[in-house]
Amino acid sequence: MKELKRILLIEDSANDAELILAALSENHLANEVVVVRDGEEALDYLYRRGLFRLRMEGHPVVVLLDLKLPKIDGLEVLAQLKSDPIMRVIPIVVLTSSREEPDLVRCYKLGVNAYVVKPVDYHEFANAIKGLGLFWAVINQPPLGALPSAPHRQPEIK
């Protein structure tokens, strides 16, 4: 039996995080979902430092990333991950309320895998999350070795 891969949800809104978790659960997506509330926590989780230094090795199968985050915003998280030769293979889906064209363009220039605007209607929101979860956690096949389990170097602090 294949091991289920983790999904990392980076979302500062408790309400949105709860809706996303409920939508994944309603659609029987059994993957573990790790929720972090800001960009700094997200980078600490991914690079296994700080509170997350002892977490299980390996990377999430997908990162669901909000743009408007405290401490380090989503664009900076995206830029850091996509500039790291080891982390850049992790699929990142921006899941945001921003419909601003500059955000969309910047995300794609930085290498985002998908950009999804959060629907306002709950049923549309749940369906969008179902589709994302099924595609990235079940259907999508990452390249062999794309999600290494071995620890790696820490990024430079700028």
Side-chain angles (χ1 to χ4, degrees):
M1 181 189 240
K2 280 174 71 169
E3 177 187 337
L4 290 172
K5 301 287 186 172
R6 290 181 305 266
I7 295 171
L8 178 61
L9 172 59
I10 308 168
E11 175 60 68
D12 65 321
S13 164
N15 188 47
D16 284 358
E18 190 175 314
L19 289 174
I20 291 166
L21 292 171
L24 291 172
S25 177
E26 283 175 16
N27 293 294
H28 309 291
L29 191 63
N31 298 63
E32 174 190 4
V33 181
V34 175
V35 180
V36 295
R37 304 291 181 183
D38 61 57
E40 184 176 80
E41 260 190 5
L43 293 172
D44 284 351
Y45 177 85
L46 288 161
Y47 286 103
R48 298 181 66 219
R49 59 189 184 206
L51 293 174
F52 300 102
R53 70 186 178 284
L54 301 177
R55 78 159 173 85
M56 186 185 326
E57 292 181 2
H59 297 302
V61 69
V62 66
V63 173
L64 303 178
L65 174 66
D66 188 17
L67 288 184
K68 311 294 189 226
L69 296 170
K71 295 187 182 179
I72 299 173
D73 75 12
L75 286 169
E76 180 59 27
V77 170
L78 176 62
Q80 283 191 38
L81 295 177
K82 291 302 184 179
S83 68
D84 181 318
I86 294 171
M87 293 291 191
R88 81 170 50 131
V89 296
I90 300 170
I92 299 177
V93 176
V94 166
L95 188 57
T96 183
S97 56
S98 175
R99 294 183 180 276
E100 297 175 28
E101 186 72 15
D103 285 342
L104 177 73
V105 170
R106 180 136 187 249
C107 285
Y108 276 107
K109 283 184 177 180
L110 290 171
V112 76
N113 298 86
Y115 189 101
V116 178
V117 177
K118 296 175 189 172
V120 175
D121 177 76
Y122 173 75
H123 295 292
E124 288 178 21
F125 188 79
N127 285 335
I129 296 304
K130 174 185 177 183
L132 286 172
L134 288 174
F135 179 78
W136 291 105
V138 178
I139 298 169
N140 184 55
Q141 179 65 48
L144 187 61
L147 304 175
S149 59
H152 63 281
R153 65 172 176 76
Q154 298 291 321
E156 285 183 32
I157 306 288
K158 296 179 183 176

